[in-house]
Amino acid sequence: MAFAPPHLGCNCKGVYAAAQFTHRYIYVNIPVARDQPTGLSPLACNFFAPSPLFLSRPTMRHTNRPRRGKIFPAFFAAALLALCSLPAAAESPPPSVVVMTSYPEELVSLVEAGFEKAHPDTRVEIIWRRSGDAMSYAEENPGHIDVYWAPAQRAFAKLARKGAFKRLPADMAGLPAKVGGFPISDPGGLYAATEIAGFGFAVNAKRLREKKLPQPTQWTDLADPRWRDELIFPIPSRAGFAPPLVEILAQGYGWEKGWTLLQQIGSNARPPNADAPNDSRSIAKGRVSVAVSLDFFIRAAIDDGAPITFVYPGVTGYSPAHVGVFKDAPHPDAARTFAEYVLSDDGQKLLFHPDMRRLPVRPAVYAGKPEGYYDPFQAAKVMPFEFDNKLAQERQGLNNALYDVMVTDQHERLRAALATVAKAERAAAGNQAMRAKLDRARKLVTKLPITEQQANALSGRFVSNFEFADKPDANADLLRGWAEQVARNRRQAMRIAQQMIDAQPGIGGAAN
Amino acid sequence: MKWRHTTAGLFAAATLICPGGAGATGAGAAGANALSAGASTVFGETREAYSQPSPAMGDVSRNVFALGRTMFGQSWVIAPARGGAAGLGPLYNRISCISCHARNGRGNAPEHERGAMRAMLLRLSIPGNGPHGGPKPHPAYGDQLNEHGVPGVPGEGIGYLLYEEHTETFADGTRLSLRKPSVHFKALAYGPLGNDILVSPRIGPAVYGLGLLEAVPDETLLALQDQAKPAGIRGRVNIVWDAVGQKEAIGRFGVKANVATLTEQVANAFNGDLGITTPETPHENCTAAQTACRKAPSGRASETEATELSQAELSATVFYHRALAVPARRGMDDPQVLRGARLFRQAHCASCHIPEMRTGKKASLPFLANQLIRPYTDLLLHDMGDGLADGRPDYRANGREWRTPPLWGIGLAQKVNPNVGYLHDGRARSLLEAIMWHGGEAAASRETVRKLPAQDREALIRYLESI
């Protein structure tokens, strides 16, 4: 291995050469000829020549970690280093940009490499932080971070409200603030979407055929009881990517109908804890027919040959990731350069890479998209609703808690109630009086304990499960009350349905 | 213990190079020939080819494997932090294991000169012996350069590579450009490294199949050492300090066979590369000269754990490495592959890249025991000549010696990491470049390849890509 002198600092090659050879000969027992790395002053080099003290075997106490040699004759080393460093010119580190993110390493590495290629003189320093902990880190380390770049909508919104970001350059032409009716960037220009991920259905066609199930294209398709145990639906309070699903349905179909759909789909889903929320293996191996997921979780599996397809339903939504530059960025120019890079054509095209598989926010780059890649801007031309992102952010914590009350914590009861009502409906056939009672029973099963107006009013009391609440149990009584009310409603619905079933000879027995 | 002369080694020679084992899957003759790792062979050529658990692992271990995979993929957080995985640094190279071992495969040198080392590191030492005969760490920088530091702790500095290209010419006139890296430093934060600094750049190695290599008996390696070899090829075991067992042992991990056990290898990597303390490496990676580093806060895996990685997490990560399966060989009936296999033997490549051996009757995990494996390594040190020499001794390995790297699965390396590099420092951009860097004991093999016509060179490479 050849070595070259560093850019700065002294060179004592000539002074040291003879001693180096002797030194090497004693220790390595092979005379390897090569240039000398340096950094020592000539004065220090003379001191650094082999001496009996330096060459003697160190009296190092063994630890489990011998590699860094903490107990090296420190006084000698310190004196030596002090001598070495005296005349050496101080060298300032190269420009860097400190980026806080919660992205997985595979993705970070790709962007780091792309950025370095475009800006070889600027180093990227990554501070990894979960989105729920990012804000506190930024507050506790003022003037340390340049850029926040992460899929963390609520954290961005909170930081923006606290005045943490400086306005992004106005010349980010070609970057829309919305995909159809779905807002993706801060309307105030404090942070911008860098990519979006789309919600939809991962479908195993082979399993569909085996189970004689139709290809699902809309959320309403998944409400049919035929899908029971044939789909995976992520629990919003447990899977970080899942909370927007609640609002997509609640806003796409309206509060009442959206929540009814959520419960019907949730009841068909495999029981909580049966599958990892973003684990593509269950669908790839054909253990289920459909998994509701984000596209990039599934695209990687498809690329690796899994026999699945991904379907974007008509009513869908996107989970955007953002970039923002801190007001107190220690490297403001580099920060701006990084933000511009991730939004540039080159940065956006990286999103097509198999390790990313996210959707670019710059429409122009879709001209070079891989074959079969989804174009949300084209699809958005038929987007049927305007999405209120602010409302979605505000209600996220409440939605997560409400979903657990309605579905997660009462999964078996919900299933049993819907199944009993369905059985009674079959029994009732054309009996209008009975059908009317059963309509009431069905509504009771999915009846929410609060109205939309109440939900809006209460939303401020809840934080998302992925953030840290000051008082984690603050809503315990409220939630207990909701759960009891929902359980009462479902018991009542089942009583009504059972009465209908019992009234029809030959139909009795447990629902199935 | 006398490592160099042992009758046990002669006895174990019978377990070497005994083709024909069917592995544990009950595959037929053709199928058995494809098995790289006995019952721990997996089939598939996707980018996830190195990321599969051994089929023999059993369902009961899946949770442990999953925890290990999580630890390996974890992006670590600077302490203090809420939500776990806190303890990155104070000094570190990267924030995650997979930074340097993407999809469990090999890393790579920076794509461009002066580029950041994102999947490699610089091993440092000064002349002399450290504890138990290992390398002597630099008093200020320790035994590797950590480029990054947590807030308040200066990163140690920046290392970068410059390349010098030269051309090798084959007998048929074909020319091949090789690049030789030289290491340079800038922005050193803890003073000069000194004129006698010993530096060795290393890309992250692939991490599959390691449990099986660990299960190869010492006697087998000693027998290989003592075995007569052609064309001036020698080979010897490295004897290192086993920090876990607190004894001398044969080294088998690391590019100089400088680590004896997988547990130590994993713990050292957590500690040295990420700055994560473990039960085996309970101290932060700070030298005496790094005062800010020594004062920086540490994390704890839990209230009852003293280190940032718990014993369960360390054990699971080690288990993960032991249980990662090896991709099957492919196209073994292809005439070009068969021709390449013949050339591989004729050029004496197989004298060090041993095609077959058997794991011991006892292994750390039962399913790793008594397996016929095809790792294409002897785990021995060989003099590889001046061209590859790093001049940095490591226990018994001198500055020209390197452990024979396993070649199993290497044909999928580029699929797993399109920027993959070969050899210890990733200088080789192709397998043929890697061959042409062979020197020392392997010089005769290299010259045999140099004389091959293009068709034979292609067959040889095709064979390497198949194994």
Side-chain angles (χ1 to χ4, degrees):
Chain A
M1 180 64 58
F3 292 82
H7 291 289
L8 299 173
C10 61
N11 187 333
C12 56
K13 189 190 300 184
V15 178
Y16 192 55
Q20 174 76 4
F21 181 81
T22 309
H23 202 148
R24 178 70 45 75
Y25 184 78
I26 290 170
Y27 278 90
V28 183
N29 223 14
I30 49 161
V32 179
R34 60 175 172 83
D35 295 339
Q36 313 303 319
T38 181
L40 294 175
S41 71
L43 174 64
C45 291
N46 289 328
F47 277 94
F48 207 53
S51 72
L53 172 61
F54 191 70
L55 295 179
S56 63
R57 190 180 176 92
T59 53
M60 188 181 284
R61 179 176 63 84
H62 173 70
T63 70
N64 281 332
R65 191 178 54 82
R67 50 171 294 279
R68 298 197 67 92
K70 291 166 71 173
I71 322 296
F72 182 81
F75 69 94
F76 181 77
L80 183 64
L81 286 168
L83 283 168
C84 290
S85 59
L86 278 175
E91 187 182 14
S92 59
S96 62
V97 54
V98 182
V99 177
M100 183 165 66
T101 187
S102 60
Y103 270 124
E105 176 59 19
E106 295 94 333
L107 192 150
V108 172
S109 290
L110 278 171
V111 172
E112 272 184 290
F115 179 77
E116 180 196 293
K117 193 173 178 181
H119 303 280
D121 294 329
T122 306
R123 294 244 162 180
V124 180
E125 182 119 8
I126 295 295
I127 302 288
W128 200 84
R129 218 69 185 176
R130 287 182 179 80
S131 54
D133 201 20
M135 196 158 69
S136 59
Y137 186 83
E139 287 173 348
E140 289 160 13
N141 294 275
H144 179 66
I145 310 162
D146 292 302
V147 175
Y148 188 30
W149 168 61
Q153 278 195 80
R154 283 170 62 89
F156 271 94
K158 281 187 179 178
L159 284 163
R161 279 199 300 275
K162 292 198 168 195
F165 296 130
K166 66 171 69 172
R167 195 169 298 281
L168 289 169
D171 57 351
M172 291 181 176
L175 290 170
K178 285 185 172 184
V179 180
F182 203 98
I184 55 173
S185 287
D186 175 42
L190 291 171
Y191 55 96
T194 56
E195 50 96 345
I196 53 177
F199 289 97
F201 313 148
V203 180
N204 185 310
K206 183 168 176 282
R207 175 88 174 188
L208 277 191
R209 283 195 300 275
E210 287 169 2
K211 296 291 176 181
K212 297 184 170 53
L213 288 165
Q215 171 85 11
T217 59
Q218 304 296 335
W219 295 103
T220 46
D221 295 340
L222 300 181
D224 192 300
R226 284 187 297 171
W227 290 92
R228 180 164 165 166
D229 281 332
E230 280 302 313
L231 67 93
I232 295 171
F233 190 87
I235 297 169
S237 64
R238 298 184 192 174
F241 70 92
L245 281 168
V246 178
E247 281 292 333
I248 289 167
L249 270 76
Q251 293 191 36
Y253 291 90
W255 177 260
E256 295 282 344
K257 188 176 178 187
W259 269 102
T260 300
L261 265 176
L262 276 166
Q263 292 176 74
Q264 289 169 325
I265 295 169
S267 76
N268 285 334
R270 279 154 61 90
N273 306 322
D275 307 274
N278 61 353
D279 187 348
S280 56
R281 279 173 295 189
S282 290
I283 185 74
K285 290 185 181 298
R287 290 197 281 263
V288 290
S289 299
V290 169
V292 174
S293 189
L294 274 176
D295 46 13
F296 70 86
F297 289 138
I298 302 302
R299 288 287 173 202
I302 294 173
D303 288 346
D304 288 329
I308 46 182
T309 55
F310 195 82
V311 176
Y312 294 87
V315 173
T316 191
Y318 302 98
S319 179
H322 296 100
V323 66
V325 174
F326 284 97
K327 264 185 183 164
D328 58 357
H331 314 99
D333 293 339
R336 179 189 165 119
T337 304
F338 184 86
E340 286 175 341
Y341 173 75
V342 294
L343 296 167
S344 69
D345 273 14
D346 284 348
Q348 289 285 292
K349 284 175 186 168
L350 279 179
L351 297 165
F352 295 137
H353 189 282
D355 279 347
M356 293 228 194
R357 287 299 190 187
R358 266 69 165 187
L359 302 171
V361 295
R362 189 176 281 281
V365 302
Y366 285 94
K369 71 184 173 74
E371 193 179 341
Y373 213 88
Y374 179 71
D375 180 347
F377 294 97
Q378 284 297 323
K381 290 176 180 169
V382 293
M383 180 69 86
F385 71 101
E386 286 286 325
F387 191 80
D388 186 338
N389 203 27
K390 184 168 177 289
L391 185 64
Q393 297 302 312
E394 288 169 356
R395 294 199 302 214
Q396 188 180 96
L398 178 136
N399 284 340
N400 292 353
L402 189 55
Y403 186 89
D404 283 344
V405 168
M406 303 306 296
V407 181
T408 317
D409 299 341
Q410 300 195 24
H411 194 250
E412 277 306 309
R413 179 178 285 130
L414 172 62
R415 276 187 163 192
L418 285 172
T420 307
V421 171
K423 186 172 184 179
E425 285 170 343
R426 289 195 297 275
N431 186 325
Q432 291 305 314
M434 290 172 73
R435 290 304 298 245
K437 285 185 180 175
L438 287 170
D439 284 349
R440 180 168 162 259
R442 180 169 282 283
K443 284 179 181 164
L444 271 175
V445 175
T446 56
K447 184 177 171 29
L448 298 176
I450 50 173
T451 64
E452 183 172 15
Q453 289 69 31
Q454 288 170 321
N456 293 343
L458 285 167
S459 60
R461 287 179 56 171
F462 290 82
V463 299
S464 168
N465 301 57
F466 308 102
E467 296 164 3
F468 296 92
D470 294 333
K471 295 178 183 173
D473 298 326
N475 297 314
D477 289 343
L478 185 66
L479 292 173
R480 197 175 303 117
W482 291 357
E484 286 168 2
Q485 187 181 334
V486 171
R488 265 198 313 274
N489 287 344
R490 288 175 179 169
R491 282 196 296 270
Q492 190 181 347
M494 287 181 74
R495 273 198 301 274
I496 295 168
Q498 195 60 47
Q499 285 168 4
M500 301 296 114
I501 294 168
D502 294 343
Q504 300 296 312
I507 304 291
N512 51 44
Chain B
M1 186 170 184
K2 293 182 179 179
W3 294 102
R4 294 182 62 82
H5 304 287
T6 170
T7 50
L10 297 174
F11 170 76
T15 67
L16 299 172
I17 318 176
C18 303
T25 64
N33 197 31
L35 296 179
S36 291
S40 290
T41 306
V42 287
F43 295 83
E45 301 177 32
T46 72
R47 298 166 70 242
E48 301 302 325
Y50 300 159
S51 303
Q52 309 305 317
S54 166
M57 183 178 75
D59 286 343
V60 74
S61 301
R62 295 210 175 270
N63 286 344
V64 182
F65 184 85
L67 176 60
R69 182 173 54 201
T70 299
M71 291 298 109
F72 199 65
Q74 179 70 53
S75 291
W76 288 85
V77 182
I78 295 166
R82 296 185 287 190
L88 181 69
L91 289 165
Y92 59 98
N93 289 88
R94 301 289 287 165
I95 65 170
S96 171
C97 302
I98 59 170
S99 304
C100 297
H101 312 276
R103 279 177 293 284
N104 303 305
R106 309 163 66 83
N108 53 276
E111 205 175 333
H112 307 285
E113 284 194 331
R114 301 175 190 277
M117 294 183 183
R118 282 189 300 275
M120 77 184 304
L121 58 77
L122 297 176
R123 192 65 69 200
L124 305 175
S125 59
I126 57 175
N129 290 325
H132 303 286
K136 189 173 186 177
H138 188 280
Y141 290 88
D143 76 349
Q144 75 186 62
L145 187 77
N146 292 129
E147 289 201 359
H148 301 286
V150 302
V153 179
E156 291 182 330
I158 291 172
Y160 62 96
L161 303 179
L162 296 179
Y163 291 107
E164 185 181 334
E165 296 267 352
H166 76 274
T167 302
E168 293 283 338
T169 306
F170 292 90
D172 64 3
T174 304
R175 292 157 69 87
L176 180 69
S177 183
L178 303 186
R179 61 176 187 176
K180 184 170 188 175
S182 57
V183 181
H184 305 259
F185 298 93
K186 59 185 174 183
L188 292 169
Y190 298 89
L193 284 163
N195 264 20
D196 61 350
I197 187 70
L198 305 175
V199 183
S200 187
R202 317 258 173 101
I203 61 170
V207 299
Y208 55 87
L210 300 184
L212 290 157
L213 296 182
E214 193 179 41
V216 174
D218 283 351
E219 290 77 10
T220 299
L221 304 184
L222 293 168
L224 282 169
Q225 172 184 260
D226 295 342
Q227 199 173 57
K229 303 174 190 72
I233 295 171
R234 298 180 299 276
R236 57 177 182 155
V237 294
N238 199 354
I239 304 300
V240 304
W241 179 250
D242 170 1
V244 176
Q246 292 287 295
K247 59 183 170 60
E248 280 198 329
I250 291 178
R252 57 183 72 209
F253 301 109
V255 292
K256 287 189 181 255
N258 48 312
V259 179
T261 68
L262 206 43
T263 298
E264 185 176 349
Q265 179 80 356
V266 170
N268 283 350
F270 266 114
N271 195 240
D273 304 349
L274 305 173
I276 302 295
T277 56
T278 78
E280 294 295 340
T281 50
H283 306 292
E284 293 289 7
N285 56 347
C286 311
T287 62
Q290 295 169 332
T291 49
C293 179
R294 293 162 71 85
K295 290 176 183 169
S298 289
R300 292 171 69 174
S302 70
E303 287 183 2
T304 58
E305 302 272 353
T307 54
E308 291 157 346
L309 194 76
S310 70
Q311 181 60 58
E313 290 165 341
L314 175 62
S315 299
T317 312
V318 173
F319 180 93
Y320 173 74
H321 284 77
R322 285 181 174 141
L324 272 177
V326 182
R329 305 201 295 180
R330 302 159 309 283
M332 301 311 290
D333 298 330
D334 183 313
Q336 195 183 22
V337 169
L338 291 171
R339 183 179 180 81
R342 206 161 47 244
L343 293 164
F344 188 78
R345 288 192 300 275
Q346 286 170 1
H348 302 303
C349 307
S351 297
C352 304
H353 293 286
I354 301 292
E356 292 186 351
M357 57 179 71
R358 189 171 283 280
T359 60
K361 289 180 180 172
K362 289 184 179 175
S364 56
L365 300 170
F367 60 86
L368 301 175
N370 199 26
Q371 298 294 304
L372 178 73
I373 62 174
R374 297 182 167 104
Y376 293 87
T377 178
D378 55 8
L379 297 177
L380 301 182
L381 298 171
H382 296 271
D383 180 339
M384 295 301 289
D386 286 340
L388 288 175
D390 66 353
R392 180 180 182 274
D394 204 328
Y395 292 98
R396 290 190 185 177
N398 66 35
R400 293 162 58 96
E401 285 180 312
W402 300 93
R403 182 199 67 162
T404 309
L407 298 182
W408 52 8
I410 202 166
L412 297 171
Q414 205 159 29
K415 187 153 207 169
V416 171
N417 174 6
N419 299 318
V420 69
Y422 302 99
L423 299 175
H424 63 279
D425 55 12
R427 69 177 69 184
R429 294 155 291 194
S430 68
L431 293 172
L432 190 57
E433 279 188 35
I435 291 169
M436 296 312 289
W437 273 111
H438 281 52
E441 295 173 34
S445 298
R446 180 196 64 213
E447 291 311 308
T448 301
V449 174
R450 190 192 300 279
K451 291 173 189 153
L452 293 178
Q455 206 175 353
D456 282 351
R457 290 199 303 271
E458 286 165 16
L460 181 61
I461 298 302
R462 175 82 183 87
Y463 174 66
L464 292 174
E465 289 172 347
S466 76
I467 59 177

